[in-house]
């Protein structure tokens, strides 16, 4: 692809869609900072702009054929079979294993009920796609690396910093390609934000204010009733939900963070908050079920939302009700074994005195990250719909509409398929530099999360973030 040097003037021209297009400010050293990247016009979602992959089709084994393994990543292979072929699957739930096997014609000898069996055979593919629950990342990652596989590894890398380091060391020993699924780095909206900063459009970054509004129902589904509810079974919220945010902050600021202080707790979703007359399950004769915003009967049976994590081979009223009576998603949100926080604030200090204030707020009626970035020559605001860049001297604004770039794309605004697109090329060429979310760079943002949690548990004590040791 032809490289083009472009600067702030090019950038603002290419944003192009502002209602009141701004006169361009006089150039300054920061304005003229050019990123040496291809034109901003190239930032449409990957599949639309993909170059044909030269070389062989990448063969992968999917370990954990649930929502991510099937919906987010294998779907790339169904769409682009010349690039990715799934040749093995490990999945204990029969219909999910069969769904994958049928779609990719996987021979019976390569259909497994659990990840361990994959590694009893000699290597039979290029890569392992690890999309098991968080507590089952370490095992298949280490076993896969040992046998010489490359990995597409779902975040969180592992449950402890020590385990993350084990995976990193083995990756480097084996010279493997390991992509961590920080899919936001492959999403056009965040890519545009990074390009704007790198072009010097707001001067030098001084500070960032970043909000992750999880949204109440999402919280109740994933972090109260669901797989990420308990920090021992999965990870603390700052990692399981917010490793994307620490990663985006580290990526946008492009400098290491040295210190963090964090506060947060679980306020709403605990037994002390349970309304009078509520029962252990929404189907158990709960007196307030009809008025409860978290009624599982309304969310799952009537609205048919969030069904991808329920164990449902067939979706109908009867099967959903059966799941709600016996499974985790029918439980009262005030009476689960959840312990992850529903609000947390973390302050990070980066090199050169740059600061970032990050809030994870579960109790919102809306989702979509909000980010404000303050620079020496202007500021930027984004809400995953639009990006607004304001010039400090003229006060004029440029607005870029992210919705157009993300229309019709895969999950995470195109980030899911964007990641696989880069991964298959990195594996094909044995070149990790074709990825932006290697395990090497992801370690740093994971450590930011581990240290933020350590700070929270120690009442907000300032923690150092040091990669070595
Ligand atoms: N990158 C992202 O934005 C993103 C988003 C959501 C989830 N995730 C991560 O992806 C991973 C999977 O999440 P999900 O939403 O797909 O969950 P899921 O429950 O839908 O899928 C996990 C699958 O693993 C299977 N499994 C369980 N034990 C297994 C075993 N021993 N061997 C093989 N398979 C086994 C389960 O049956 C299930 O089908 C998690 O680590 C999660 O944190 C990442």
């Amino acid at each position: 692809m032809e490289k083009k040097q472009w600067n702030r003037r090019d950038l603002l021209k290419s944003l192009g869609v502002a209602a009141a297009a701004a006169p361009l400010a006089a150039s300054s050293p920061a304005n003229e900072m050019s990123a040496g990247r291809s034109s901003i016009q190239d930032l449409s979602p990957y599949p639309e702009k993909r170059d044909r992959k030269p070389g062989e089709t990448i063969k992968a084994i999917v370990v954990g054929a649930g929502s991510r393994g099937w919906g987010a990543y294998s779907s790339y292979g169904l769409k682009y079979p010349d690039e990715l072929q799934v040749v093995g699957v490990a999945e204990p739930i029969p219909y999910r294993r069969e769904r994958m096997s049928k779609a990719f014609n996987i021979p019976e000898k390569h259909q497994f009920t659990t990840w361990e069996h994959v590694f009893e055979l000699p290597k039979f593919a290029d890569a392992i796609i690890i999309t098991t629950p968080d507590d089952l990342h370490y095992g298949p990652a280490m076993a896969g690396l040992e046998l010489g596989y490359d990995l597409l590894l779902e975040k969180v890398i592992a449950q402890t910093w020590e385990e993350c380091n084990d995976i990193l060391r083995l990756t480097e020993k084996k010279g493997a390609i390991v992509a961590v699924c920080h899919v936001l780095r492959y999403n056009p909206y965040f890519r545009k934000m990074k390009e704007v900063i790198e072009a010097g459009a707001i001067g030098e970054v001084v500070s960032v204010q970043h909000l992750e509004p999880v949204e109440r129902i999402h919280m109740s589904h994933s972090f109260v009733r669901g797989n990420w509810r308990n920090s021992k079974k999965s990870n603390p919220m700052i990692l399981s939900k917010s490793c994307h945010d620490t990663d985006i902050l580290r990526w946008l600021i492009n400098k290491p963070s040295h210190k963090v202080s964090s506060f947060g707790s679980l306020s709403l979703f605990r037994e002390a908050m349970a309304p009078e007359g509520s029962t252990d399950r929404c189907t158990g004769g709960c007196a307030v079920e009809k008025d409860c915003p978290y009624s599982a009967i309304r969310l799952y049976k009537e609205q048919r939302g969030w069904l991808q994590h329920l164990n449902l081979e067939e979706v109908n009223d009867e099967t959903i009700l059966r799941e709600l009576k016996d499974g985790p998603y029918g439980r009262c949100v005030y009476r689960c074994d959840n312990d992850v926080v529903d609000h947390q604030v973390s302050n990070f200090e980066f090199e050169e005195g740059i600061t970032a204030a990050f809030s994870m707020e579960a109790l919102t009626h809306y989702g979509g990250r909000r980010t404000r970035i303050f620079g020496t020559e202007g500021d930027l605001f984004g809400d995953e719909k639009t990006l607004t860049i304001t010039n400090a001297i003229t006060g004029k604004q440029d607005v870029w509409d992210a919705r157009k770039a993300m229309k019709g794309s895969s999950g995470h605004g195109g980030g899911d398929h964007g990641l696989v697109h880069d991964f298959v090329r990195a594996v094909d060429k044995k070149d990790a530099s074709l990825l932006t979310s290697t395990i090497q760079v992801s370690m740093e943002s994971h450590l930011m999360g581990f240290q933020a949690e350590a700070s929270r548990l120690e009442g907000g004590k300032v923690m150092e973030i040091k990669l070595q040791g």
Side-chain angles (χ1 to χ4, degrees):
M1 197 184 299
E2 195 194 322
K3 294 255 175 183
K4 178 184 171 223
Q5 296 284 310
W6 55 277
N7 57 27
R8 182 174 186 274
R9 184 174 294 268
D10 293 336
L11 171 76
L12 294 183
K13 262 199 232 160
S14 68
L15 287 170
V17 292
L24 297 172
S27 78
S28 73
N31 285 346
E32 295 307 325
M33 183 178 85
S34 57
R37 299 171 70 113
S38 51
S39 160
I40 204 156
Q41 303 296 355
D42 287 341
L43 287 173
S44 54
Y46 281 88
E48 281 65 42
K49 278 281 177 189
R50 74 197 185 113
D51 46 323
R52 302 295 294 173
K53 184 189 76 68
E56 298 298 312
T57 303
I58 297 305
K59 293 186 170 56
I61 303 160
V62 175
V63 166
S67 169
R68 305 293 299 164
W70 168 251
Y73 305 129
S74 301
S75 55
Y76 188 90
L78 292 176
K79 199 164 176 188
Y80 306 115
D82 57 327
E83 296 190 21
L84 175 70
Q85 194 191 348
V86 178
V87 297
V89 60
E91 167 60 55
I93 297 179
Y95 84 85
R96 293 184 183 174
R97 191 172 61 247
E98 283 154 23
R99 173 176 69 182
M100 185 78 82
S101 302
K102 219 169 145 192
F104 289 94
N105 252 324
I106 299 172
E108 219 163 288
K109 63 177 181 174
H110 292 157
Q111 300 173 22
F112 311 95
T113 51
T114 179
W115 66 267
E116 289 91 338
H117 298 318
V118 173
F119 306 105
E120 288 164 3
L121 298 187
K123 184 171 183 268
F124 64 93
D126 304 297
I128 308 284
I129 296 178
I130 300 181
T131 41
T132 32
D134 289 10
D135 59 337
L136 297 178
H137 288 186
Y138 182 73
M142 294 297 281
L145 288 169
E146 205 52 74
L147 280 183
Y149 287 104
D150 293 320
L151 307 181
L152 185 81
L153 175 58
E154 253 308 353
K155 56 77 181 158
V156 174
I157 297 172
Q159 287 181 294
T160 65
W161 180 237
E162 290 68 35
E163 287 179 348
C164 293
N165 269 299
D166 287 349
I167 298 174
L168 174 69
R169 275 192 292 269
L170 196 53
T171 300
E172 298 199 324
K173 185 177 159 202
K174 295 284 183 177
I177 308 278
V178 176
V180 177
C181 298
H182 281 136
V183 289
L184 299 185
R185 286 183 179 227
Y186 303 85
N187 155 314
Y189 164 83
F190 284 106
R191 283 162 52 81
K192 183 77 82 180
M193 197 182 279
K194 183 155 174 73
E195 299 267 348
V196 165
I197 294 168
E198 286 188 350
I202 59 168
E204 300 294 333
V205 171
V206 170
S207 68
V208 180
Q209 201 184 57
H210 181 69
L211 168 69
E212 157 62 321
V214 177
E215 198 276 322
R216 285 166 183 269
I217 302 304
H218 184 178
M219 178 74 193
S220 73
H221 172 81
S222 297
F223 305 100
V224 178
R225 290 176 166 132
N227 293 350
W228 301 274
R229 66 187 180 271
N230 190 292
S231 52
K232 284 165 209 69
K233 287 184 183 142
S234 61
N235 276 291
M237 193 74 168
I238 187 82
L239 279 141
S240 63
K241 184 75 182 110
S242 306
C243 70
H244 282 310
D245 300 285
T246 54
D247 190 66
I248 282 293
L249 288 171
R250 172 64 183 87
W251 188 54
L252 292 174
I253 292 172
N254 203 21
K255 290 190 170 50
S257 171
H258 294 318
K259 283 182 191 163
V260 60
S261 157
S262 186
F263 299 90
S265 61
L266 175 61
S267 291
L268 181 60
F269 300 104
R270 53 202 178 89
E271 193 155 7
M273 302 297 279
E276 224 180 293
S278 57
T279 48
D280 286 354
R281 286 188 176 268
C282 301
T283 48
C286 174
V288 294
E289 182 271 316
K290 290 266 175 300
D291 299 320
C292 177
Y294 310 103
S295 160
I297 297 173
R298 185 167 55 255
L299 295 176
Y300 301 110
K301 183 173 154 279
E302 290 164 19
Q303 296 175 350
R304 297 275 159 101
W306 296 96
L307 292 179
Q308 74 273 27
H309 288 121
L310 277 66
N311 186 0
L312 294 173
E313 185 169 2
E314 259 182 68
V315 177
N316 57 48
D317 284 1
E318 201 184 314
T319 57
I320 294 173
L321 265 182
R322 194 186 57 219
E323 268 295 295
L324 299 188
K325 279 183 185 146
D326 301 331
Y329 295 98
R331 293 181 298 176
C332 171
V333 291
Y334 303 104
R335 300 166 197 280
C336 292
D337 58 338
N338 58 312
D339 68 358
V340 302
V341 297
D342 54 22
H343 63 290
Q344 184 166 4
V345 294
S346 305
N347 284 330
F348 293 95
E349 186 183 55
F350 287 75
E351 207 168 88
E352 297 177 9
I354 299 168
T355 52
F358 166 54
S359 292
M360 181 287 300
E361 301 293 348
L363 304 183
T364 58
H365 66 275
Y366 53 88
R369 290 170 168 91
R370 270 68 167 162
T371 311
R372 294 177 193 278
I373 305 186
F374 308 96
T376 51
E377 297 181 21
D379 64 76
L380 172 162
F381 171 71
D383 60 1
E384 294 197 33
K385 295 189 182 94
T386 58
L387 274 184
T388 304
I389 300 149
T390 306
N391 183 283
I393 302 160
T394 63
K396 292 285 168 46
Q397 296 187 322
D398 288 275
V399 182
W400 179 72
D401 193 334
R403 289 164 293 197
K404 284 183 193 159
M406 298 195 283
K407 205 172 160 209
S409 51
S410 64
H412 291 101
D416 291 351
H417 281 190
L419 166 66
V420 188
H421 171 280
D422 284 10
F423 180 69
V424 294
R425 282 156 182 76
V427 171
D428 183 48
K429 299 263 184 297
K430 267 283 171 199
D431 180 359
S433 74
L434 295 173
L435 288 161
T436 68
S437 63
T438 58
I439 185 167
Q440 284 83 357
V441 302
S442 303
M443 289 293 282
E444 220 174 310
S445 52
H446 270 53
L447 185 57
M448 288 166 68
F450 281 114
Q451 291 301 79
E453 184 63 3
S455 167
R456 187 186 76 81
L457 294 173
E458 292 207 31
K461 184 177 162 192
V462 175
M463 294 288 173
E464 305 256 319
I465 302 171
K466 276 197 198 144
L467 262 183
Q468 295 84 2

